[in-house]
């Protein structure tokens, strides 16, 4: 699909080197609840994924360094 990540969308990131997946819903700053998988559009991950399409590579800075994921899926 050619949908982009936007507020309200749920997306799956895949770390091909470790084989693990992360599933988050992108929300506005006031609705953010990282423990429940709701991440803010102004967070490092949020800023990295907004506007990206399925298959794109996403990079963001985490405390452990730069993390690289592939955007595996975008759900509405």
């Amino acid at each position: 699909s050619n949908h982009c990540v936007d507020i309200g969308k749920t997306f799956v990131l895949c770390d091909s080197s470790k084989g693990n997946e992360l599933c988050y819903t992108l929300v506005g700053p006031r609705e953010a609840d990282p423990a429940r998988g709701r991440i803010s559009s102004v967070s490092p991950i949020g800023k990295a994924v907004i506007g990206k399409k399925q298959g794109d590579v996403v990079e963001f800075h985490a405390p452990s360094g730069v993390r690289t994921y592939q955007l595996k899926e975008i759900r509405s």
Side-chain angles (χ1 to χ4, degrees), residues 26-76:
L26 192 66
V27 297
R30 290 184 184 151
E31 289 95 50
D33 186 353
R36 295 177 62 194
R38 298 166 66 82
I39 60 161
S40 165
S41 55
V42 297
S43 69
I45 297 175
K47 287 194 282 193
V49 299
I50 200 158
K52 289 283 203 299
K53 294 180 176 158
Q54 189 170 318
D56 283 355
V57 172
V58 175
E59 282 190 349
F60 57 89
H61 291 270
S64 56
V66 177
R67 306 292 297 273
T68 304
Y69 290 90
Q70 185 172 35
L71 185 53
K72 184 178 177 184
E73 186 183 349
I74 303 170
R75 304 172 186 153
S76 52

